[in-house]
Amino acid sequence: DTGVSQDPRHKITKRGQNVTFRCDPISEHNRLYWYRQTLGQGPEFLTYFQNEAQLEKSRLLSDRFSAERPKGSFSTLEIQRTEQGDSAMYLCASSSETVGAGRETQYFGPGTRLLVL
Amino acid sequence: AQKVTQAQTEISVVEKEDVTLDCVYETRDTTYYLFWYKQPPSGELVFLIRRNSFDEQNEISGRYSWNFQKSTSSFNFTITASQVVDSAVYFCALSEAGTGANNLFFGTGTRLTVIP
């Protein structure tokens, strides 16, 4: 059983550069989430897709951030003009909507650790 | 507004001791879901349990047990006979059904260190 995968696992970049992260969800899952986790904190929600539609965005997701899920499978998260404050772990999660089952469980990937110098 | 509080920042125990991790939540929804995740040093969040607000039965899974009490808005997690492999950061999280939002609200986590 293949879990959620993320690439790259680590990224070091210079301030002002653009970076893109990829997430591959569990194959049968139609929902995909992005979270950000800074040191010593719990993950914070960024955005959520159901299939290819982006249904929710947190106010944490500034204009420099954009996420896509073009075919309802993998997703990318791009950060433009990175700032030192963007340094964090970026986590992806996926879940499968089951009608009538209430809030489903989100399964997380290993994360991409970003360091902006 | 929703909130999850994990007041214990760090806990250290000696192997084979029992340990309880506290979680207190706030929500205005009558239907909500509570979760516990484990984050080992590798960084990946590992799902442990999900509980809905209508099910107050306590649950036991091996050395793990969970105590859900709506009266005190708490969802505590106990590890019995702790082992070194239990060392990790543990997060409690809340998801509200009424708002339609699908995201999880996490506490700040409790770092558990089990000393051999």
Side-chain angles (χ1 to χ4, degrees):
Chain A
D1 182 25
T2 304
V4 178
S5 61
Q6 293 187 243
D7 183 69
R9 295 291 307 277
H10 298 89
K11 179 71 177 179
I12 300 174
T13 191
K14 293 183 179 179
R15 189 177 52 185
Q17 297 295 304
N18 300 343
V19 295
T20 300
F21 310 142
R22 175 179 170 127
C23 170
D24 286 89
I26 293 171
S27 58
E28 64 269 22
H29 284 183
N30 62 341
R31 291 180 168 178
L32 187 148
Y33 309 78
W34 286 98
Y35 290 81
R36 182 176 71 183
Q37 184 179 20
T38 53
L39 205 60
Q41 300 297 313
E44 296 174 293
F45 171 75
L46 291 178
T47 190
Y48 149 64
F49 290 85
Q50 180 155 316
N51 299 311
E52 65 275 9
Q54 188 174 16
L55 297 185
E56 288 178 51
K57 289 198 291 186
S58 161
R59 62 180 182 276
L60 292 176
L61 211 67
S62 75
D63 291 344
R64 298 184 296 104
F65 288 69
S66 62
E68 293 183 344
R69 195 183 183 197
K71 297 182 180 179
S73 56
F74 73 91
S75 175
T76 58
L77 177 69
E78 181 183 15
I79 309 174
Q80 295 183 325
R81 305 180 304 281
T82 52
E83 301 173 355
Q84 288 183 326
D86 297 330
S87 296
M89 172 84 92
Y90 290 84
L91 293 162
C92 176
S94 71
S95 67
S96 177
E97 178 189 13
T98 305
V99 176
R103 185 66 78 235
E104 67 278 4
T105 297
Q106 296 180 26
Y107 295 92
F108 284 80
T112 295
R113 192 175 295 278
L114 172 66
L115 177 61
V116 181
L117 301 176
Chain B
Q2 64 286 322
K3 187 177 180 182
V4 176
T5 301
Q6 294 181 257
Q8 303 151 308
T9 306
E10 295 189 26
I11 300 177
S12 291
V13 297
V14 176
E15 199 171 20
K16 298 184 183 177
E17 287 184 346
D18 299 347
V19 58
T20 295
L21 310 182
D22 298 333
C23 173
V24 174
Y25 62 91
E26 294 177 30
T27 178
R28 293 179 181 175
D29 274 11
T30 56
T31 302
Y32 52 89
Y33 299 83
L34 296 164
F35 300 80
W36 275 95
Y37 285 86
K38 174 183 180 180
Q39 188 172 43
S42 61
E44 183 168 349
L45 280 164
V46 178
F47 166 73
L48 296 177
I49 190 171
R50 181 186 79 170
R51 233 7 177 197
N52 73 53
S53 52
F54 298 115
D55 183 2
E56 286 194 73
Q57 275 192 329
N58 291 330
E59 182 157 337
I60 298 175
S61 175
R63 296 184 297 106
Y64 295 170
S65 62
W66 290 269
N67 182 3
F68 176 29
Q69 292 195 339
K70 288 179 75 171
S71 60
T72 55
S73 297
S74 66
F75 186 42
N76 297 337
F77 172 31
T78 297
I79 301 174
T80 302
S82 59
Q83 300 176 2
V84 173
V85 293
D86 296 327
S87 296
V89 181
Y90 291 86
F91 290 96
C92 181
L94 165 72
S95 180
E96 297 173 319
T99 62
N102 267 41
N103 50 300
L104 293 170
F105 294 95
F106 285 85
T108 51
T110 297
R111 180 178 298 278
L112 174 66
T113 301
V114 181
I115 304 165

